[in-house]
Amino acid sequence: MDLIKEALSLGFADAAVMDVKDLVFVLEYRTFCEENLCGNYNVVPACPPTCGTPEEMRQKAQAYEKALVLQTILKQPGMDSALVKKAKHDQNILTEKLAEQMKTAGKDDLLIMSAGPYKQYSCMSAYGVDAQKMADAAGMVCWADDGDVRFFSLILF
């Protein structure tokens, strides 16, 4: 299965495979979760503190060898938070669809890091993944001064 080709055919803007050992984990990023800007801290089981400590999350992720980095781009949403929320949800649905295809192709042991908490999946922030360094390593743009919002999710295998 060509993971990049499958990702692009599903509608991702970009996709790349990288070694999990090249992901940078900043355990101090958990403070962003604790600030509860998304409203899910101590509410959603996939979120801290229920999901595990930062160190436990990092160790869980580092048990995998490869990471499929998936990106969608929302073009200039302005201040429309409902549009951003829907785009994040759509990213997670696509990620889940691709993970199911990977399982059908024989990759049974997967770990999904979603774009924000989604079902039983914790987001990249809960794991402490440095999104900018991940995007750089994958050859993708994370932040740009273009008004677009970029969403990332990962499937570790």
Side-chain angles (χ1 to χ4, degrees):
M1 172 182 214
D2 183 334
L3 296 174
I4 307 301
K5 185 177 177 181
E6 284 299 317
L8 297 176
S9 72
L10 277 175
F12 288 100
D14 206 351
V17 175
M18 63 183 286
D19 292 333
V20 169
K21 67 178 178 56
D22 294 331
L23 289 174
V24 175
F25 293 87
V26 182
L27 303 183
E28 295 79 14
Y29 283 179
R30 181 57 70 92
T31 59
F32 297 126
C33 292
E34 292 166 357
E35 290 173 7
N36 200 24
L37 298 177
C38 69
N40 294 315
Y41 184 81
N42 208 20
V43 175
V44 177
C47 290
T50 309
C51 65
T53 68
E55 182 60 28
E56 289 168 341
M57 300 294 277
R58 181 188 62 78
Q59 287 177 358
K60 186 176 174 183
Q62 288 180 328
Y64 292 84
E65 185 179 326
K66 297 288 184 183
L68 176 60
V69 181
L70 302 164
Q71 181 186 58
T72 56
I73 302 170
L74 179 59
K75 298 289 185 182
Q76 302 184 354
M79 301 303 283
D80 190 340
S81 62
L83 192 60
V84 171
K85 185 175 181 176
K86 181 185 179 323
K88 189 183 292 187
H89 181 74
D90 292 347
Q91 166 92 15
N92 290 331
I93 289 172
L94 289 179
T95 302
E96 191 174 48
K97 282 182 184 177
L98 184 53
E100 288 303 316
Q101 289 179 3
M102 291 171 71
K103 287 178 184 175
T104 300
K107 293 189 184 303
D108 292 333
D109 186 17
L110 303 176
L111 174 73
I112 294 175
M113 292 186 200
S114 53
Y118 176 71
K119 296 184 178 180
Q120 74 272 21
Y121 307 115
S122 300
C123 69
M124 290 173 38
S125 297
Y127 282 91
V129 173
D130 186 314
Q132 180 64 61
K133 289 182 179 167
M134 176 201 67
D136 290 345
M140 297 180 192
V141 173
C142 186
W143 302 101
D145 192 23
D146 58 6
D148 295 345
V149 177
R150 290 158 181 83
F151 300 99
F152 290 95
S153 54
L154 293 170
I155 301 175
L156 278 54
F157 58 100

